[in-house]
Amino acid sequence: MGVSFTWLGHSAFALDIDGHPILIDPFLTGNPLGAASPDQLPAEVILLSHAHGDHVGDTIAIAKRTGAQVLCNFEMGNWLMAQGVNNVMQGNTGGSYDCGFMRVKWTIAHHSAALPDGSYGGNPNGFVITTQSGKRLYFAGDTGLFMDMQLIGDERIDVAFLPVGDLFTMGPEDSLKAIGYVRPRVVVPMHYNTFPGIAINVVEWANRVNSVTNAVPVVLDPGGTYTLP
Ligand code: NI
Ligand code: MN
């Protein structure tokens, strides 16, 4: 029991929450850093932050194979159901849903969203996950820095997953401010080094996190796992 997570490359994570397998933004096919096969990953719940292809990824195939419940916004939910994904829970910014073993809240994210076929994708989101034992995880999705991250920080965040790759999301410098607002115990970088446009020096980033914030940076290799102490 407890919380552990595996980075699958880009913004894709496999989480184990008290024995329940969760996937977030499972973009594996076509992901140069993709560290798992979509044919084998277990999933009870899939969280989708927004409609872009590098986040929706292999959701349809995994949801159909596993029967996992997909938590996403209203527009993505309609699109998934039209493609035969039946177990969908649609939410929207500020709302939350209790999966039994965890509660998931949709947060704001400053970004854009269109589905892979060009359909309207609704608003992008992040998520705050609260486990039954009170552990709290913030997955920011794709976003720029925003000051309301302070409100998320007021919820006492154990782990923050933040994009750091710049260009499409905040970059390393703004992520340091985000860490100051969110105040997590542990911070995990994502959405970097997948493509040349979002390449960063992550060792330098981790050194900066250590010197200017109170958070512990956890930099995983693709496929690497971390267990919360
Ligand atoms: Ni995006
Ligand atoms: Mn993205």
Side-chain angles (χ1 to χ4, degrees), residues 1-6 13-23 101 131 137 225-227:
M1 301 299 259
V3 174
S4 66
F5 50 85
T6 302
F13 288 87
L15 283 65
D16 184 303
I17 295 183
D18 297 327
H20 300 272
I22 314 302
L23 295 176
F101 61 92
T131 72
L137 292 71
T225 298
Y226 180 82
T227 301

Side-chain angles (χ1 to χ4, degrees), residues 9-149:
H10 206 52
S11 295
F13 288 87
L15 283 65
D16 184 303
I17 295 183
D18 297 327
H20 300 272
I22 314 302
L23 295 176
I24 306 182
D25 288 356
F27 165 52
L28 300 165
T29 302
N31 178 352
L33 302 181
S37 162
D39 304 332
Q40 285 160 9
L41 278 172
E44 209 171 299
V45 175
I46 301 171
L47 304 182
L48 288 187
S49 66
H50 67 290
H52 286 152
D54 60 321
H55 298 261
V56 174
D58 297 288
T59 296
I60 292 174
I62 296 171
K64 285 183 177 174
R65 176 177 56 79
T66 60
Q69 184 172 40
V70 183
L71 271 60
C72 59
N73 72 13
F74 182 75
E75 291 78 5
M76 280 191 281
N78 288 348
W79 184 82
L80 289 169
M81 286 188 282
Q83 300 189 59
V85 177
N86 298 316
N87 194 3
V88 171
M89 178 53 62
Q90 294 162 292
N92 216 324
T93 309
S96 64
Y97 174 70
D98 195 337
C99 296
F101 61 92
M102 66 172 179
R103 188 164 194 93
V104 178
K105 183 158 83 173
W106 282 255
T107 66
I108 62 171
H110 290 306
H111 194 63
S112 65
L115 283 151
D117 63 5
S119 307
Y120 175 58
N123 288 322
N125 289 110
F127 295 104
V128 172
I129 299 169
T130 306
T131 72
Q132 262 183 337
S133 57
K135 291 268 189 297
R136 200 160 281 140
L137 292 71
Y138 170 49
F139 179 87
D142 279 9
T143 186
L145 180 67
F146 56 90
M147 198 166 238
D148 286 358
M149 284 180 178

